[in-house]
Amino acid sequence: MLSEGFSLFYQYADSISLLMLSAVGLMIIFGMMGVINMAHGELMLVGAYTTSVVFYAGLPLFVAIPAGASAAAAFGIVLERLIIRRFYGQLLSSLVVTWGLSLLLAQGFLIIIGPSIRSLPTPFGSFSVGGFSYSYYRVFMFVIALAVTLAIWALLRFTKYGVEARATMENPAMAHALGVNTDRIYMVTFGLGAALAGLAGSLFALEAPIEPTFGRNYTPIAFITVVVGGSSDIVAGLIASALSLSAVRAIFTTQFNILIGYVAMLVSAFVLIRFIPNGLSEFLETVLNRLRRS
Amino acid sequence: MLNWFSSVVRLINGEQEIGRSRGFWICAFAVAVGLIVLPRFVSAYALLNYSYIISMVFLALGLCLIWGFAGILSLGQAAFLGLAGYAYGVVGINLSQSGTTYLALIAGLMVPTLFAAVLSYVMFYARVKGVYVAIMMLVVTLLFETFLNQTAGPQWHIGVASLGGNNGLGRFSGAIHEPPSITLGLGSRLIEFSGQSVAFYYLEVGLLIAIYLCLRALVNSRFGLILAAIREDGARVESFGYDVRAIQLVVFCLGAALAALSGILYVSWGNFITPSVFGVTNNILPVIWVAVGGRKSLTATVISTVVLTWLSQRFAIQGEYAFVVMGALLVVVMMLRPEGLITSFGGRKTSASPPLSPGSSHDGR
Amino acid sequence: MQTSFNSRLRHIVIAAVASAACLVIKPIAGISEETIKICAIDDASGDFALPVILKTDGAKLAVAEINAAGGVLGKKLELIHYDGQSDVRRHQEFAQRCILEDRANVVMAGYTSSEREAARAIAVKNKTIFWHNNQGEGGIADKYSFFTGPIPEQQILTGIDYMIKKYGPKMYILAADYGFGQVSAQWTHVAAGLYGGKIVGEEFIPLGNSQFASTIANVQRAKPDFLVEYLVGANQSQFYPQANSAGIDFPAVSTVNLQQGYEHRRFPPPALKNLYVPIAFIEEVGTQTPSAKKFVDDFRRMFPDAANVNQPARCAYVAVHLMAEAWKRAGSTNTDEVISALESGISFDAPEGRVLLDPATHHLTMSIRMAQVQPDHSIKFVQDFGPIEPWWLRSLGVNLVRSDDAKQYLPADDKRFAKFLNK
């Protein structure tokens, strides 16, 4: 009984960490800059590929993974300066242009790098709870997901950058008038979002074969997670969205099968958007405000 | 009578669409004549390809209508195309005895349109807007693809038509029943519009000309002007007393019906359809065609769809660069000429490079 | 403003018409010398590029060998290759191009079943010989269609029988949730029934799925003696590293892996340890027979950058050679005469051993070996099953020499299997 409970909890946590890691980079960019970055998967690919190259050059994983994140950040900043900068606040335009970018980059990487890159070995080994065996690495990813979310929250709450970034997000014109270098804030923020995408890519690459379409598997789900979460409060939205979508998926998968779990998750995303059109974070804010007032 | 005719002409030649001068219409007439005599000058294979290209124009026109004119971006138009193809195919296979495909055509048009009505009721009456509509349509198309992929197996059939999963409608279990080509006629006088036939090509050309003119009239009619107003500022239109949600529903269904037409023509052309029609790539292609041409113009959409589809086929023959070029083209156009390559030549709209979503930041919610 | 726009629009229209004219003129002007044309639609881009690029190379090798030996009927073989872009619609378009424009004598196309059927439908409609050069779910009985890849009765029955004898009767099936996976699962049920196996669990995985935490838990709960894996595509192959890092240690049998995507070369060890695959051909067969060694050496000499020499390469290679032999026997390229030649009992020294094209079923009798993946991902051949015939369709009464079924048979069509298949 207990071991079944742990198994379900493990699957739930696993699904949460997957959604959060794939979506956090996208959420920052969406929430802060009103840009939907459909080339998110390709940023993940840059992270994964860099990590692979660095690792096979002989460096340890704890160097290779940050290297992947940094490479993705650099690549993202280049994209931002060249292209994305013109599309702030334009959700639909940015969606379309970054989708074009995604097509171009994925096929471009295929041509340059080839159809496959050496995969990375999964570290850490396994442990047992009540007759079931689990992977430490998955637990590690869950811990990283929590740590990253906490770090983002702290960054936005307690640092100068965070204050400026939040101001820019609320009212860019006013922030600019008050002396905030909004241009630099955007650039740094996009770099941060790209770095997180690269981090996610590097982490996933330790358990998946790396191909140019690697990131594309995660982009639609990340996109859905972000949109369900809504952008009025990035961290709350991300957590709420990941928790609810993963719950649906985990429950339906264990009750029925993977197909039904996946379908149920998509349907619940559809339902959530229908009834909470501006995202869960705004819904939560409204509820909290009403509770505070009453 | 003459009054009616002249008012129709005025509608077709209204301000909402580019190309209104005598020069344009002379060119358009020349193009139409060219299309009509084309079969005499090209090989059977080339004609087959042109038929395919034209069949995709209706999908693009549907997206142009709902996106360029009504401001609704849908990332799931291929869902209606696919649904139409399957509905038409299923009914056509089951009624293949009768020889004609009238009921299949009705099914192919009605099923996606009704589905669109339900979907748009769910979305628009909940005030879902902008990027959320886009993502809901994406979810819908993913659901179709996932579901249909696993319908291989003898238990997955509607009548005689096995859904066939990945192998294609009508295949995989038992005798192979191909979805039929459109067959019209009475009694023993039947015409089959198969993909390779000249009849099919002329059917498409006829539909293209008729629908193009009708859509031109529509966007210049009162309905069309209201659509444009909704695109610019929906709240204000609402304050004038129009039911914006109902209008959005109607235009969304119209877009779905046009996508459905493409679906039916595609199946009639190739007698083959698989769940891959619902895939993500098939949904981004019409967005590329419409965005690159100029989403606010029907004419630009037609031209860009034809040119881009033809180009990507050419590139596919050359090698692996097709997607690179298409992606790059989309990026470049969005950066330099977001109005679209063809419409930006017109300079019709006075505002310079407006964003794709009306209004300022965070509006897509 | 208005007039300058209209003149520009005119220019656009003229340019469009002019380019259309170019399209028209080019095909008329193109004249080809006398060659025998083989048209291959293989994915050089998209999801399936990795295994399929090598398939084209296999065909190229065969064409080069035959042309060096003088060609066929005094003419050279010409390989026309189109990039299917891992896209079904491209396969339709190019199949039509092959037949109507290039007037190819034979079409070889398709990696996944949807690609195959898209091209095959057009080939059959136009009465052109079609080859599918990959493993498949089997069961297709059609006058114009020929197959070089191994099929379920050769791989699944053999493999399951072996695993039951070696590890015990309890098995857990993981299958991709589409036609091929579902049919493979059905054949596994048949094998379990025939050889005394017991299916303790069965899961169908949707094609895009790459997360297996729930599956791993289910497998552990069921405690099978071995796993049966029909996982297709890069997403689903993530099961291996995930299962490995979760400490799963069951032996497994698969008919899908190693042969196309050479996973043992790409995944870091020991993710695939103790995976058994009943294969017709993988590159390591080059250590088992002289003809395989020669094939691998020649392949690598012609394509020094090739990542692997995989089964699709061997299938395409065999197909081209069989066609050459058929053209020679028929003395012409007339389709019906060539089909009769193909059905006259042609054999060929394929890399893994001699193969015979079965006249009644259009499939190959081929040698099957059991490959076991070692902890360091090297391959050990633990059993040689010898040549296995494609007997199943014949046992259903299929004889394509006499009549064209134009149909795909499934295990459910076989009355003898009814008791093994769940209702």
Side-chain angles (χ1 to χ4, degrees), chain C residues 250-270:
Chain C
F250 300 103
V253 65
S254 167
T255 60
V256 173
N257 297 110
L258 307 190
Q259 305 151 89
Q260 278 84 246
Y262 48 99
E263 290 83 0
H264 56 307
R265 293 300 185 74
R266 291 168 37 228
F267 292 13

Side-chain angles (χ1 to χ4, degrees), chain C residues 25-40:
Chain C
I25 293 171
K26 193 170 178 289
I28 297 176
I31 307 168
S32 52
E33 3 143 339
E34 277 294 347
T35 57
I36 298 183
K37 298 197 180 63
I38 301 172
C39 198

Side-chain angles (χ1 to χ4, degrees), chain A residues 123-197:
Chain A
F124 302 144
S126 59
F127 64 98
S128 284
V129 171
F132 289 103
S133 174
Y134 302 95
S135 159
Y136 273 125
Y137 184 67
R138 295 247 132 181
V139 175
F140 174 69
M141 286 209 294
F142 181 64
V143 167
I144 298 277
L146 289 182
V148 162
T149 311
L150 199 63
I152 298 292
W153 176 78
L155 186 73
L156 289 175
R157 200 68 154 48
F158 299 120
T159 65
K160 175 163 178 272
Y161 161 77
V163 170
E164 291 184 350
R166 277 187 292 142
T168 313
M169 181 184 143
E170 279 292 328
N171 193 333
M174 186 61 101
H176 188 69
L178 288 173
V180 171
N181 186 345
T182 49
D183 203 44
R184 203 174 61 88
I185 295 282
Y186 283 140
M187 186 179 85
V188 169
T189 307
F190 196 89
L192 181 61
L196 290 169

Side-chain angles (χ1 to χ4, degrees), chain B residues 21 24 41-42 45 48 50 52 150 152 166-167 171-172 174 266 271-272 282 310 314 316 345-346, chain C residues 5-6 8-10 23-24 85 89 92 96-97 113-114 117-118 125 137 177-179 182-183 407-408:
Chain B
S21 67
F24 169 79
F41 297 106
V42 302
Y45 171 68
L48 189 65
Y50 291 134
Y52 172 77
Q150 52 93 42
N166 233 335
N167 284 33
R171 305 178 84 83
F172 188 67
Y266 171 64
N271 308 106
F272 185 78
N282 277 343
W310 181 83
R314 270 254 91 88
F345 279 134
Chain C
F5 164 72
N6 281 314
R8 296 222 190 175
L9 189 59
R10 207 169 299 164
L23 181 63
V24 167
Q85 296 182 351
R89 278 197 284 196
Q92 284 180 287
Q96 280 153 348
R97 189 184 175 90
S113 39
S114 48
E117 291 302 287
K125 197 187 305 192
E137 73 267 25
D177 200 0
Y178 78 114
Q182 288 166 355
V183 169
K407 191 177 143 146
Q408 179 161 16

Side-chain angles (χ1 to χ4, degrees), chain C residues 61 281-301 309 350-353:
Chain C
L61 177 62
F281 182 82
I282 53 178
E283 183 169 5
E284 284 78 0
V285 174
T287 60
Q288 304 291 300
T289 72
S291 53
K293 181 170 187 328
K294 178 172 186 303
F295 173 65
V296 170
D297 289 343
D298 290 343
F299 190 95
R300 288 215 168 270
R301 198 176 317 120
V309 187
E352 77 276 8

Side-chain angles (χ1 to χ4, degrees), chain B residues 238-250:
Chain B
E238 186 118 2
S239 70
F240 287 146
Y242 291 103
D243 188 350
V244 169
R245 307 165 307 175
I247 297 172
Q248 286 177 322
L249 187 149
V250 168

